[in-house]
């Protein structure tokens, strides 16, 4: 249990045996691993606010390109992604949203309210 006694940064499920608390980092890491498997997504992006540089995150740091917020035990996801050059951003976004929504809801047992996608860059893939 957090020091403040609340569950504000954790999702929770009620079971017959008690509560299951899910840390937002767990949700972010899972959502990131699902996202990078989607067609047209090169990877997650980290944006340096100070100088505006965007860099591709390594697979071990996928959760840094995703912000997870919880309100009334419903999930809101913000993805900062880099897409492949030449793909339809609209099609890639639709695919990402539907895939992540289904997978994360199945994984957590919680509902997703919103998925926001921020395309931070484009990369040519060989």
């Amino acid at each position: 249990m957090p020091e403040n006694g609340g569950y504000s940064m954790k999702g929770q499920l009620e079971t017959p045996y008690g509560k299951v608390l899910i840390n937002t980092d767990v949700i972010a890491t899972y959502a990131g691993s699902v996202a990078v498997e989607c067609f047209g997504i090169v990877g997650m992006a980290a944006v340096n606010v100070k100088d505006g540089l965007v860099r591709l995150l390594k697979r071990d740091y996928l959760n840094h390109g995703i912000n997870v917020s919880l309100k009334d035990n419903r999930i809101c996801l913000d993805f900062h992604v880099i897409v492949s050059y030449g793909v339809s951003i609209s099609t890639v976004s639709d695919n990402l949203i539907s895939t992540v929504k289904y997978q994360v809801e199945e994984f957590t047992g919680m509902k997703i309210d919103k998925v926001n996608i921020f395309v931070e860059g484009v990369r040519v893939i060989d």
Side-chain angles (χ1 to χ4, degrees):
M1 182 182 246
E3 292 176 13
N4 66 3
Y7 300 109
S8 62
M9 291 311 295
K10 296 185 189 300
Q12 56 181 312
L13 299 170
E14 297 287 338
T15 71
Y17 305 106
K19 290 181 181 173
V20 176
L21 301 177
I22 305 171
N23 192 304
T24 54
D25 282 344
V26 172
I27 297 169
T29 300
Y30 184 76
S33 66
V34 170
V36 296
E37 297 300 320
C38 290
F39 170 78
I41 300 293
V42 175
M44 306 311 297
V47 180
N48 185 330
V49 178
K50 182 180 167 191
D51 54 20
L53 292 177
V54 175
R55 65 184 170 87
L56 181 64
L57 291 168
K58 295 181 179 170
R59 266 186 122 27
D60 294 342
Y61 300 99
L62 295 177
N63 60 337
H64 293 281
I66 302 172
N67 296 327
V68 177
S69 56
L70 297 167
K71 184 173 181 183
D72 299 326
N73 213 38
R74 296 176 71 83
I75 302 169
C76 177
L77 297 168
D78 293 340
F79 285 89
H80 297 269
V81 298
I82 296 175
V83 298
S84 300
Y85 178 79
V87 299
S88 164
I89 292 175
S90 173
T91 302
V92 169
S93 297
D94 289 345
N95 182 44
L96 176 62
I97 291 168
S98 63
T99 302
V100 165
K101 184 174 182 338
Y102 174 76
Q103 295 280 354
V104 172
E105 286 181 349
E106 287 292 311
F107 178 68
T108 62
M110 299 164 58
K111 292 291 181 194
I112 290 186
D113 251 355
K114 195 184 294 185
V115 177
N116 299 310
I117 300 172
F118 300 90
V119 178
E120 302 291 357
V122 177
R123 292 275 167 99
V124 176
I125 303 301
D126 294 333

